[in-house]
Amino acid sequence: MASVKNNVNEAMKHIFTGLALAFSLGLFSQGHFSFEATNQYHLVVNGDSLSLGWGGGFNQPQFSTIDLNFDGEDDLVAFDRSGNRIVPFLNITKNGVHSYRYAPQYVKNFPSVENWMLLADYNCDGKNDIFAYAPGGIGVYENTSANDTLSFAWALPLHNLRSDYGQGLTNLYIYSTDIPGIKDIDYDGDLDIFVFGQYNAVQWHENTTPCGLDYVLNTYCWGRFEEGNLNNKLTLDGCIGVKKTDYTPPTNNILAKGQHAGSTLLMVDLNGDTLNDALIGDVSYNNGVAAFNTGFLDSAHVSAQDTLFPSYNTPVDLYIFPAFFYEDVDFDGKKDLLAAPNMQGARNVNNVLRYKNTGTTANPNFNYQDSAFLQRDMIDMGEGAMPVLVDIDFDGLLDLFVGNYGQYLYSGNYTSYISYYKNTGTQANPKFTLQQKDLANISQLGIGLNLIPAFGDLDGDVDIDMLVGSDDGTLYYFENTGGITTPAFTYVSSNYQGIDVGNASAPQLFDLDEDGDLDLIIGEETGNINYYENSGSNPPVFTLVTESLGGVDVRGLNYNSGYSVPNFYRKNDTLTLFVGSQERGILQFDSVEAVMALPPQIEQIVGTGTLAPAGSNLTPFGTSKRNGRNQMLYKASELKALGFKYGKIISLSFEIANTPSNIVSQGFSIKMKSVKADSLTQWETGLNEVYNYLYPFTAGWNDITLTTPFLWDGESDLVIEVCFSKNFQSNDIPVRSTDVGFASNAYGDVAIWNGNTQDGCAMPYLATSKIRPNIRLKVIPTFLATDVVARDGFRNAPAVGDLNGDQYPDMIMGNYCGGMTFYAGVEYVAPPIGVEEHDFAKRNELLVYPNPSRGIINVVLPEEMDLKNATLQVFDLTGRMVKSVSPSDINVELDLSAYTSGLYILVATDGKLSFHNRIVVQR
């Protein structure tokens, strides 16, 4: 294992060194910013400095313990399903008193997981390993920590933990909504697993290898009970708790029972009889149900239940779908009970219940203590935290304002508000002290949810006024009626200047064009950025310039929404844009000044000829045949001569010579690829699809808006493919074309590929012509996305400014769990690269195609690799492993379609040899 790790680390070192060289040469960035999460600076509420102030909040946390810093003490790790956040806390001792301290430096040591994560020691080495959701079931990561460095490695030979259901091994299945029970229930030295299966019953997957991971389904019906169909009460003796080989599921009412989903399990001995009982949470209910086991170690029998557990104290009540965790969190050596929601829509503040164990770990007695465990010591505004920095009182210190999406309480109201924290620190040591939790009583005004403030003088009286974006896409205007040094905001009007960007308006007031007045920049749900220029009048008049400023689009692969939150930051003469997003974190964009000097959109025609070829080979719409395929090459020199720049191609137009009487009846697809080629003599592969639909052609230029804009790098030649299949045969559609003098229009062999069942987009190559269709391109000059500078859960929002006077920008980042994290700016140091290292990178590069890709990557492993010991791993730019597979062949298809757009590092190793490459996932 150590040899493999060393090879991976060496590969990663050379790859990131190469990236650093690219940055230092200016290939990617004008100036790279780096940030590190820190607890150094204070947040003060009601006179108390919050010990966990920058912990980021909780929505649906899950709790486990692990020794993070190798001091022999159990530390605490929360995994929040909302945003898949890992939140570590160190157990520290000061003057003999234990407490938790937020420890974000350990986040990078954990793998990227989703939905649920529990820590338990499966291999008996005294170090807790990771059990987590994996698509289709359960994944396991071994704790491989050594030399005081926390690390984890994939522990399974395949993609999932497997179990024998009676007909051989298959995935041990659990719904993504559920949380399993993991415990050695029969005290035989291995971890058993419990999940809800069919017929509302609990399956016991027995581990058959001490300190191993070999599972067999012991019974379909552990405890002989079923959960009710119409409520969460248990039907005792509702099924037969016997070995799977002796059990025949009932045939009556099977459809009514079906596959169970939406439950959490905690296996724990609740009454000290050495038999493990179960605590159950259900997706539709607010309470927990205790199932008391009075059977035997190898044959459980639940004969009693507590439907309002713990009914002897204060019952759990979390509005909906509770989950339970059993850990010692008050440092008295006895495990306590924690309960928290397991789905969105439950309470999002005061939603982590703590029950002190006044009995023993083996025979607990739970006494309710707190409804905001850890939350009480951090900023938690419910769902969504949207920070903004502004010196509101002109004292030379940046103050903090924070909007939120919404906060839900038992009273049934779900409201949004803005909090004001005055910077009461110094230039070198900021301290944010709460002044008003609900600024201007905005929660009572009924202006909606998802309130995001922006600040600037909007009425010419020198003091700073406030605009507020809302979920409805409009803006609300608040005038500062309190003066320059004592701000107070009064609501003036809704629908400010009639501006409406659709949904989730996220405004910033900033002098973008450097003409001495504030312009208006607005992010929105769809992930783009709107730019409104200030005419310079007083009060200002904002005029829309573009809805796609800099071509920014921060949508990811898992969500159609982007929720862009822009924050322009000017340092000396360099302007940088930071943009928050739904799932991609905080992105840095450079080349802003260069792009701002260009028109918002460049539109030019490539090709001036008037030819109109009549044959079906040369026109991309040769509809006299059922199938068609053309690839056309447009050289970078042609595009650059027409003024095209690095940017997104959003529209493609063909000039139709006459009005056709038909359309391409089954639709057609357009694909694009950047290449280096003087001519086309065969098909180019690995193209990205940008359009696939019908289009009703007419005479003249026909604008086809691409469903997926294509990012042209400004330097490469461009190949455009048009293909279609199974068309209703009709007349060809002639397209105006030019004889460009080189092989530029490749076409397929229609004669052998014209059947009703054949795929025209897979047609064999026939020949290439010099006659190439003219095209009209629309390109949006695009800011250069250089990095993801930070990421923590969903809907990250940045507030950037130099808060400690060290000349590096700092960042306060909000997330959808309702909290914030402080990221101190640090110097970015690019490691040196030598000739030998550069040669190493060339010699050890994996063959990968297509690259960039929309998610499906083909990898060809070197023949000299030992496949029996080979591992193929994918890392994000933080160095965190996000995927690991064990290849069985040198040709591997890698599916990254579930991952966010961006740059990833691919490493293949067999313990002796190591190969790598950079891969780009692009929507």
Side-chain angles (χ1 to χ4, degrees), residues 141-156:
Y141 295 85
E142 180 189 1
N143 187 335
T144 55
S145 303
N147 301 319
D148 292 346
T149 300
L150 185 69
S151 63
F152 299 91
W154 187 252
L156 304 174

Side-chain angles (χ1 to χ4, degrees), residues 409-420:
L409 295 173
Y410 265 141
S411 56
N413 62 319
Y414 188 82
T415 59
S416 184
Y417 59 91
I418 296 172
S419 295
Y420 164 35

Side-chain angles (χ1 to χ4, degrees), residues 9-30:
N9 288 341
E10 185 68 12
M12 295 289 286
K13 168 189 170 185
H14 290 292
I15 292 169
F16 281 106
T17 299
L19 287 174
L21 176 65
F23 280 118
S24 67
L25 292 176
L27 298 179
F28 296 115
S29 177
Q30 297 170 335

Side-chain angles (χ1 to χ4, degrees), residues 33-49:
F33 294 109
S34 293
F35 301 89
E36 290 181 356
T38 179
N39 278 318
Q40 181 179 352
Y41 304 109
H42 294 281
L43 276 164
V44 179
V45 175
N46 298 327
D48 294 326
S49 183

Side-chain angles (χ1 to χ4, degrees), residues 164-167 195-205 216-226 239-250:
D164 187 348
Y165 284 76
Q167 295 179 336
V195 299
F196 266 95
Q198 289 181 324
Y199 320 114
N200 297 356
V202 174
Q203 296 177 354
W204 172 18
H205 292 266
V216 172
L217 178 59
N218 180 293
T219 176
Y220 289 96
C221 182
W222 180 87
R224 308 184 196 177
F225 70 87
E226 290 183 337
C239 56
I240 302 172
V242 297
K243 297 286 186 180
K244 64 180 186 305
T245 53
D246 301 324
Y247 177 53
T248 302

Side-chain angles (χ1 to χ4, degrees), residues 45-86:
V45 175
N46 298 327
D48 294 326
S49 183
L50 301 182
S51 59
L52 306 174
W54 303 109
F58 289 142
N59 279 354
Q60 302 145 46
Q62 305 160 18
F63 297 94
S64 301
T65 55
I66 189 174
D67 188 357
L68 294 169
N69 58 353
F70 310 99
D71 64 353
E73 300 278 359
D74 276 343
D75 305 299
L76 188 67
V77 174
F79 172 80
D80 202 310
R81 181 188 288 268
S82 177
N84 300 318
R85 299 177 58 233
I86 291 172

